[in-house]
């Protein structure tokens, strides 16, 4: 499996190229994006649970936050999935916090909680995506079975820089080991997942060039060394949720745009994910220039946020673009 040291060595070979690209103006970068057929997919998240034992300071679900803890039953997850199917989604992301296999809140194991939501997503005919960790190889195989044997496993490094990562997670039992987190993606491949998604949370590491080079190197490794045909890339920005002050991680629109364009230039076969964290105005500028774009829509970041009336105040982060799929399909398809 790829190690952080190997990844750092591979990223070092890209450093000068990425530095040069990020120093260019936005319009200059846009002119370098390869011209290809434009493809669009639309997704929304289903939060299986916001129970979490991790202590990430940038997340409203961290163990010390004041959000109301909610875990969906299968029937509730099915309602959420049917709602998204009715709205025209192509896929649904199953997300949870990180908690023990025997959680103190008695919600069941992480595997059980994610499995019931993946079953619901598969049952209504949406493409299942799992964004949760940590799991063993056997549990990842079981989760793929719950998804009907197909789907995508997504896991962000948060920050590829080990020092930044460890400072943020402070030896957390769930996310404290960056080496194990990096290898979760390959565990998923070994468990049978055929598509994967990677990324970092832009702004956690002030050295954005370092994060971009690492992401590009990671992408190329998965494509060239592991033979993964479909890899998605995402660089969401920190947006405040309940009890989170995000100003220390603020990244301007111009830099965010540059990063997205650089990823398009250096990873031309990647699907780029743009979530509703970004404003409608910014997404309207970016989406027409992205060849293969996965667009977040009608989002809710709280379990049961679509059909159970659960308060968005208990969500993981703020959403800025709340346009419907109908609006977005009319604009971009």
């Amino acid at each position: 499996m790829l190690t952080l040291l190997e990844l750092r060595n591979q990223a070092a070979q890209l450093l000068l190229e990425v530095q040069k690209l990020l120093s260019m103006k936005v319009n200059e970068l846009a002119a370098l994006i390869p011209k290809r057929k434009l493809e669009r997919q639309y997704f929304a998240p289903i939060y299986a649970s916001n129970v979490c034992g991790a202590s990430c300071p940038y997340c409203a679900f961290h163990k010390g936050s004041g959000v109301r803890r909610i875990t969906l039953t299968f029937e509730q997850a099915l309602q959420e999935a049917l709602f998204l199917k009715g709205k025209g989604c192509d896929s649904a992301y199953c997300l949870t916090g990180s908690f023990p296999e025997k959680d103190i809140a008695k919600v069941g194991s992480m595997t059980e909680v994610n499995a019931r939501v993946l079953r619901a997503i598969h049952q209504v005919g949406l493409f299942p995506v799992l964004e949760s960790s940590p799991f063993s190889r056997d549990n990842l195989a079981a989760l793929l079975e719950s998804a009907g044997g197909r789907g995508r496993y997504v896991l962000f490094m948060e920050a590829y820089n080990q020092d930044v990562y460890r400072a943020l997670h402070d030896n957390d039992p769930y996310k404290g080991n960056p080496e194990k987190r990096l290898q979760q993606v390959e565990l998923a491949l070994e468990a049978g997942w055929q598509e994967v998604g990677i990324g970092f949370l832009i702004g956690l590491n002030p050295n954005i060039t370092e994060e971009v080079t690492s992401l590009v190197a990671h992408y190329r490794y998965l494509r060239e060394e592991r033979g993964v045909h479909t890899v998605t890339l995402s660089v969401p920005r920190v947006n405040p949720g309940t009890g989170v002050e995000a100003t220390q991680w603020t990244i301007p629109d111009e830099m965010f745009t540059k990063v997205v364009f650089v990823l398009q230039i250096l990873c031309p076969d990647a699907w780029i994910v743009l979530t509703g964290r970004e404003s409608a105005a910014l997404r309207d500028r970016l989406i027409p220039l992205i060849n293969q774009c996965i667009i977040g829509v009608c989002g809710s970041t709280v379990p049961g946020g679509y059909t159970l009336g659960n308060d968005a105040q208990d969500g993981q982060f703020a959403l800025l673009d709340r346009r419907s799929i109908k609006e977005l399909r009319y604009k971009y398809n």
Side-chain angles (χ1 to χ4, degrees):
M1 287 190 179
L2 182 68
T3 67
L4 284 168
L5 177 60
E6 291 168 340
L7 180 62
R8 188 163 63 247
N9 290 338
Q10 292 179 23
Q13 300 174 36
L14 297 165
L15 181 59
L16 292 179
E17 184 176 14
V18 172
Q19 283 178 332
K20 178 181 178 181
L21 289 170
L22 288 176
S23 69
M24 296 172 65
K25 296 179 180 179
V26 167
N27 62 329
E28 293 173 333
L29 288 172
L32 295 177
I33 296 174
K35 303 304 178 186
R36 297 176 48 176
K37 177 185 176 182
L38 302 181
E39 298 182 77
R40 305 284 176 255
Q41 294 180 10
Y42 298 87
F43 82 93
I46 297 177
Y47 279 76
S49 176
N50 60 5
V51 173
C52 193
S55 53
C56 314
Y58 48 84
C59 177
F61 289 174
H62 70 80
K63 64 182 179 181
S65 77
V67 299
R68 182 169 60 103
R69 303 298 177 173
I70 307 163
T71 299
L72 299 184
T73 65
F74 172 76
E75 291 73 20
Q76 292 169 336
L78 190 60
Q79 288 184 57
E80 297 281 280
L82 284 168
F83 174 87
L84 296 181
K85 180 70 173 178
K87 292 294 184 181
C89 276
D90 301 308
S91 62
Y93 281 50
C94 170
L95 300 99
T96 60
S98 297
F99 52 87
E101 284 295 295
K102 298 295 183 181
D103 184 69
I104 55 173
K106 303 295 188 274
V107 298
S109 73
M110 271 190 68
T111 303
E112 293 167 351
V113 170
N114 282 278
R116 69 179 69 137
V117 176
L118 289 171
R119 283 198 300 272
I121 292 169
H122 169 64
Q123 185 169 315
V124 305
L126 292 168
F127 183 76
V129 181
L130 173 62
E131 185 178 335
S132 185
S133 74
F135 299 107
S136 67
R137 185 185 293 105
D138 288 346
N139 284 345
L140 284 164
L143 287 164
L144 179 61
E145 185 177 352
S146 297
R150 68 176 193 132
R152 180 184 311 124
Y153 181 70
V154 173
L155 191 64
F156 297 170
M157 272 305 292
E158 313 291 29
Y160 280 95
N161 178 285
Q162 290 185 65
D163 293 335
V164 172
Y165 186 98
R166 291 185 186 279
L168 287 166
H169 301 104
D170 194 25
N171 297 316
D172 190 287
Y174 310 104
K175 295 176 71 172
N177 188 322
E179 200 83 54
K180 287 185 177 179
R181 189 167 180 86
L182 178 70
Q183 292 173 355
Q184 273 279 292
V185 173
E186 289 187 81
L187 277 182
L189 292 173
E190 292 177 0
W193 294 79
Q194 295 183 321
E195 298 185 13
V196 295
I198 57 176
F200 63 88
L201 199 54
I202 185 169
L204 295 183
N205 181 1
N207 187 343
I208 292 174
T209 302
E210 178 183 23
E211 296 296 314
V212 174
T213 55
S214 297
L215 181 59
V216 173
H218 195 183
Y219 167 82
R220 291 185 177 179
Y221 168 81
L222 291 169
R223 289 273 298 177
E224 298 166 11
E225 301 296 324
R226 296 302 302 245
V228 185
H229 182 265
T230 301
V231 180
T232 66
L233 302 179
S234 185
V235 286
R237 289 187 283 187
V238 179
N239 277 2
T242 301
V244 175
E245 175 55 59
T247 54
Q248 63 182 305
W249 297 300
T250 299
I251 297 297
D253 285 357
E254 181 181 21
M255 177 54 73
F256 179 81
T257 300
K258 284 185 176 185
V259 170
V260 170
F261 286 175
V262 169
L263 292 176
Q264 269 282 270
I265 293 165
L266 297 181
C267 309
D269 295 316
W271 283 84
I272 306 295
V273 181
L274 279 183
T275 73
R277 292 175 185 242
E278 311 308 331
S279 69
L282 179 60
R283 296 211 299 177
D284 283 347
R285 292 197 297 272
L286 295 180
I287 291 173
L289 296 171
I290 298 174
N291 294 322
Q292 298 179 131
C293 191
I294 301 178
I295 305 166
V297 291
C298 59
S300 170
T301 68
V302 60
Y306 302 114
T307 62
L308 302 182
N310 288 334
D311 194 341
Q313 183 176 341
D314 291 318
Q316 186 183 24
F317 53 83
L319 291 166
L320 301 181
D321 187 357
R322 294 183 173 274
R323 287 175 293 177
S324 69
I325 295 179
K326 183 177 180 180
E327 292 177 271
L328 293 167
R329 284 191 186 277
Y330 178 79
K331 191 173 187 67
Y332 298 123
N333 285 20

